[in-house]
Amino acid sequence: MERVVGTVVRGLRGPIINEGDNIEQIVVDTVLNAAKVEGYEIQDKDIITITESIVARAQGNYVTIDHIATDVKAKFGEDTIGVIFPILSRNRFANCLRGIARGAKKIVLMLSYPSDEVGNHLVDIDELDVKGVNPWTDTLTEKQFREHFGYQKHTFTGVDYIEYYKELITNEGAEVEVIFSNNPKVIVDYTTSVLACDIHSRFRTKRLVTAAGATTVYSLDNILSSSIDGSGYNEQYGLLGSNKATEDSVKLFPHTCQPLVDGIAEKLKAATGKQVEVMVYGDGAFKDPVGKIWELADPVVSPAFTAGLAGTPNEVKLKYLADNNFSHLRGEELKAAISEHIKNKNEDLVGAMEAQGTTPRQLTDLIGSLSDLTSGSGDKGTPMIYIQGYFDNYTK
C-alpha cells in the first residue's frame, strides 16, 4: 500500500519530574510504553526530544537570589555595575536582576530600544519615526524617554518594564539609573564595570565595551558558572537559559546533557534494536508576527544531541523541480521523474538552485522548534516529543 503520511509528531505524557529522578530511565520507559499503548512501531531514525526543563529539574540545578548576589559581589566588589541589554521578562530575568541588585550598591541599567534582543518592545518603532529619534545613534535618559514616549505597558504582560525593573533594584537596596541606547560603548561614560545581559550578541558586546575602556567585564554566562556554596551551576552558560522557579530562586539551563542523550539512545537500542536519535531542547527559534517576539531566549536550542542530528537538511524543492526541470510532465510521469531526481540528488546541495527556499538551519534548531511548538509552555504535560518520518522524503 502506498504511504500517504510523512512526518508524525507525538507529545508524550510522562510523570512529573523531581530532583533526583532517573530521567534517563523515565524517558526510555515513557517512549516504550507510549509505543505499546498507541500501537506504533519504533523505527530507525525516529527522534525523541526532551525539554531542558525536566532535565534541569532532575539534576536539581537551582540557585537562589542570594547565590547570584554572592557571585556578583565577588566579581564586581563595590563598583557601580552597568547592567546592559537585559531582556524584558518576569520569568527569564526578574529574579536574576534581583540577585544582581542584591550584590551591588548602584546599577546603571541600559535598555536597548525600541525592543530587547528577543523582540519585547518598550515602544513601537513607528513612534521613533514620529518623534525623530534614531535608536542607533541616540542615547536617552529616563526623563527624555518618558518625555518622548510616556508610560507604556507591554502588549502581552501589561507591565511597564522600566518601572518594574527599577522597583526590583531599589527593593534590594541598590541605587538605579536607567538609560536607553543600542551602543554598548555608551556604558563606559557611566561605569567601567559591566555585566552584559544579552544572550546571542554577548561576545560582541563584551568586545566592544572592553575596547571602549571597560575594565571589569562579565556576561550572564559567567555568573553561576561554578557552584556557590553548594548551589546548582552551568559551567558553559551560567545564568543564561534560566527561568524563575520560586520567588527566591531560578532554575538554570541543564548541564552535562551529552551522557544523558547517549544513554537514552543506547537503552532504546538495547530494548528495540533500533537507532533512535535523542536531543534535549529549549526554546525554539521563531517569531510571533503579532507580538513581534522571537522565542529564542535560551543560549542554544539544543545543549546536547546524538550524532545523527548534527548538520543541516539536504533537500531539494519539489515545486522548483515541478516548475522547472519537469514542467512538461504531469501525473505519474511527474511523480516518477521527481522521485528519481531525489534518489540521485547530490550529497551537498548548498548553492544549488533546486535547493533554493529550503531552510538552511541546523537540524537541531528545526527539530527543537517543532518540539517546542508541540509541547508548548503551559499545562499540556508532554515534556517529551516523539517524531517519526522526519528524515524521510517523497520517495520513502
Side-chain angles (χ1 to χ4, degrees):
M1 183 177 295
E2 182 181 12
R3 181 175 171 185
V4 295
V5 175
T7 302
V8 176
V9 184
R10 297 177 174 91
L12 305 188
R13 293 182 177 178
I16 303 298
I17 304 299
N18 292 303
E19 181 177 352
D21 285 350
N22 186 340
I23 188 69
E24 183 176 305
Q25 192 60 53
I26 288 172
V27 172
V28 171
D29 291 344
T30 300
V31 169
L32 295 175
N33 185 57
K36 180 180 178 181
V37 171
E38 294 296 317
Y40 59 87
E41 292 186 6
I42 294 173
Q43 303 289 344
D44 286 322
K45 301 298 288 184
D46 286 356
I47 306 167
I48 177 68
T49 67
I50 308 111
T51 180
E52 58 83 19
S53 177
I54 63 171
V55 178
R57 284 180 60 82
Q59 292 175 342
N61 204 19
Y62 294 84
V63 300
T64 66
I65 289 172
D66 281 335
H67 291 136
I68 298 171
T70 297
D71 203 4
V72 168
K73 181 74 171 177
K75 286 179 167 64
F76 291 100
E78 302 295 315
D79 296 350
T80 295
I81 305 174
V83 175
I84 69 174
F85 301 155
I87 64 172
L88 307 176
S89 173
R90 295 170 298 175
N91 174 44
R92 289 286 190 171
F93 191 68
N95 272 2
C96 293
L97 182 58
R98 288 179 60 200
I100 295 164
R102 191 173 293 183
K105 285 193 172 182
K106 180 178 178 180
I107 286 175
V108 178
L109 181 66
M110 190 166 88
L111 302 175
S112 55
Y113 75 102
S115 70
D116 68 11
E117 181 183 7
V118 297
N120 293 295
H121 277 68
L122 285 170
V123 60
D124 192 282
I125 194 169
D126 291 327
E127 291 192 49
L128 302 184
D129 300 333
V130 172
K131 298 294 184 179
V133 175
N134 186 336
W136 304 114
T137 59
D138 297 344
T139 297
L140 305 177
T141 64
E142 183 183 359
K143 182 175 183 293
Q144 290 170 325
F145 188 90
R146 293 301 195 186
E147 287 174 349
H148 282 306
F149 309 115
Y151 290 75
Q152 300 197 23
K153 294 183 178 181
H154 188 276
T155 304
F156 291 161
T157 65
V159 172
D160 181 327
Y161 277 96
I162 301 169
E163 285 301 306
Y164 178 54
Y165 278 3
K166 282 178 61 181
E167 185 177 339
L168 290 178
I169 294 168
T170 56
N171 284 349
E172 295 297 335
E175 295 180 56
V176 60
E177 180 178 359
V178 183
I179 59 174
F180 303 83
S181 179
N182 292 302
N183 181 1
K185 298 177 182 179
V186 166
I187 195 63
V188 299
D189 295 334
Y190 298 82
T191 178
T192 56
S193 294
V194 180
L195 179 59
C197 297
D198 43 347
I199 305 163
H200 308 291
S201 54
R202 64 189 183 278
F203 298 110
R204 177 176 184 269
T205 296
K206 290 199 291 184
R207 173 173 56 81
L208 290 176
V209 298
T210 300
T215 55
T216 304
V217 181
Y218 292 99
S219 50
L220 285 182
D221 53 339
N222 304 133
I223 309 298
L224 270 300
S225 58
S226 59
S227 180
I228 302 291
D229 299 327
S231 72
Y233 68 97
N234 190 304
E235 185 176 7
Q236 186 173 8
Y237 298 120
L239 285 179
L240 290 178
S242 62
N243 289 271
K244 180 178 180 178
T246 69
E247 292 302 317
D248 295 303
S249 66
V250 299
K251 176 194 66 60
L252 300 180
F253 211 49
H255 59 74
T256 324
C257 295
Q258 195 61 46
L260 171 66
V261 296
D262 290 337
I264 292 170
E266 289 170 6
K267 280 185 168 60
L268 287 172
K269 181 68 175 292
T272 67
K274 304 298 183 180
Q275 183 61 54
V276 176
E277 304 296 342
V278 185
M279 64 175 272
V280 175
Y281 71 94
D283 274 348
F286 42 81
K287 186 176 182 179
D288 178 342
V290 177
K292 303 176 183 177
I293 299 170
W294 289 97
E295 182 70 9
L296 187 56
D298 286 324
V300 290
V301 174
S302 176
F305 48 89
T306 50
L309 298 179
T312 59
N314 190 57
E315 300 175 336
V316 295
K317 201 77 168 180
L318 294 189
K319 64 183 181 183
Y320 179 87
L321 296 177
D323 288 342
N324 291 272
N325 302 47
F326 307 114
S327 59
H328 59 292
L329 300 178
R330 294 292 185 275
E332 288 299 317
E333 284 187 310
L334 177 60
K335 179 180 177 180
I338 288 180
S339 297
E340 188 65 22
H341 187 95
I342 292 172
K343 290 176 182 177
N344 294 289
K345 67 184 177 182
N346 293 330
E347 292 185 2
D348 185 0
L349 291 167
V350 173
M353 288 300 292
E354 64 194 58
Q356 66 177 333
T358 58
T359 308
R361 289 166 59 187
Q362 295 296 312
L363 286 167
T364 50
D365 293 342
L366 293 164
I367 295 165
S369 297
L370 173 63
S371 300
D372 191 24
L373 286 167
T374 303
S375 63
S377 57
D379 57 8
K380 287 185 172 62
T382 55
M384 293 163 263
I385 308 299
Y386 199 78
I387 304 168
Q388 293 189 299
Y390 190 85
F391 291 102
D392 295 350
N393 60 42
Y394 191 55
T395 69
K396 57 183 179 180

